[in-house]
Amino acid sequence: MAAPRLRPGMGRLIEMPAALGRLSRAYSKSHAFREVLQLPKMELTKLVFPLQELQRHLHPDARSDLHLRVFDPSLEDVARAEGFFTATPRNRIEYLSSAVRLDHAPDLPRPEVCFIGRSNVGKSSLIKALFSLAPEVEVRVSKTPGHTKKMNFFKVGKYFTLVDMPGYGYRAPEDFVDMVETYLKERKNLLRTFLLVDSVAGIQKADNIAIEMCEEFALPYVMVLTKIDKSSTGHLLKQVLEIQKFVATKTQGCFPQLFPVSAVTYSGIHLLRCFIATITGNLKTN
Ligand SMILES: Nc1nc2c(ncn2[C@@H]2O[C@H](COP(=O)(O)OP(=O)(O)OP(=O)(O)O)[C@@H](O)[C@H]2O)c(=O)[nH]1
Ligand SMILES: [Mg+2]
């Protein structure tokens, strides 16, 4: 397994003052990257590059099975990406508006990324975690499936827009199909769709319908595996391998690398921020 690559200058960030070292596990609620960098190396890898950590558990002959190197930023890139997600007076991160129809959606020139998935899969929680450095932004999450009823638009400075979608499947809003299908099909500035799949349950029937929809509309999309804190390592590894094979053999528009995340432990969140900053053309990695 390759260690996370470090660029010159990162050493300074990683040098750990003794006092901080003792406190390394007690990071703040925001999970700021400078705090993450103070973690012991294995913990850091698990948190920032969850696929790399999983790869450690694969038999050496099977290691090429994990598509690790498609998007493979350095720690420095990941650190730089955080700037886009940090709210400051000059970088305003805010809820913009909600819409139940595409023609009610805000007219925005900047690139947009949206998050779709079954109700309760963790879309709103993931967006809330991505916005942990913008604590003023309110993203509502709920144990009750079908909580998000509208498309919610969030502006990230002058860089891009994130859209939290209502879920499909159980307790989906009645107008879901009209709302989401039309959005996916016609939204001009939609750059990438993140399709969330529960890492415990794997790909379900309703997910297949969403995958077919993305394929039919020829959307570039990315699969995110949620709630990885709830999966055992063995189960997660099995799901990653199965889903990766599915993506490689049955899809055209899906990005080959999966993004496992947890909105509870923040595993994969920093990498996903870096990916979003990169695909929206704001960050040059490698
Ligand atoms: N353990 C764990 N629970 C999570 C995670 N992400 C979300 N949850 C829980 O899953 C439930 C649903 O989360 P939401 O983020 O509201 O899910 P959603 O996909 O937005 O759901 P809808 O808006 O109903 O479509 C909540 O109880 C969350 O606390 C995670 O990474 N780990
Ligand atoms: Mg929601």
Side-chain angles (χ1 to χ4, degrees), residues 118-125 140-148 164-167 227 229-230 261-264:
R118 284 190 301 125
S119 35
N120 223 36
V121 73
K123 300 173 292 295
S124 303
S125 303
R140 297 218 185 112
V141 307
S142 167
K143 276 204 281 262
T144 315
H147 185 74
T148 308
D164 186 11
M165 291 290 200
K227 308 189 185 183
D229 57 286
K230 287 173 81 177
V261 295
S262 165
V264 171

Side-chain angles (χ1 to χ4, degrees), residues 93-95 124 127-128 131 134-141 152-154 164:
I93 300 176
E94 56 196 358
Y95 161 77
S124 303
I127 294 178
K128 198 180 165 95
F131 286 162
E136 310 279 283
V137 182
E138 196 191 342
V139 187
R140 297 218 185 112
V141 307
N152 296 318
F153 293 80
F154 297 90
D164 186 11

Side-chain angles (χ1 to χ4, degrees), residues 14 33 54 63 119 131 154 156 175 192 199 228 279 282:
I14 292 177
F33 201 58
L54 267 186
R63 286 208 172 154
S119 35
F131 286 162
F154 297 90
V156 181
D175 44 2
R192 204 65 61 104
S199 69
I228 61 168
I279 57 166
N282 292 295

Side-chain angles (χ1 to χ4, degrees), residues 164-206:
D164 186 11
M165 291 290 200
Y168 42 78
Y170 183 61
R171 294 188 60 166
E174 265 172 36
D175 44 2
F176 174 85
V177 176
D178 279 351
M179 187 184 346
V180 178
E181 262 200 46
T182 313
Y183 170 89
L184 292 176
K185 208 156 130 186
E186 295 178 17
R187 185 71 164 166
K188 299 244 164 12
N189 53 333
L190 175 63
L191 192 80
R192 204 65 61 104
T193 298
F194 289 89
L195 197 161
L196 276 57
V197 173
D198 187 319
S199 69
V200 182
I203 296 181
Q204 304 284 294
K205 223 180 185 170

Side-chain angles (χ1 to χ4, degrees), residues 21 34 217 230 254 281:
R34 75 188 128 71
F217 301 158
K230 287 173 81 177
C254 189

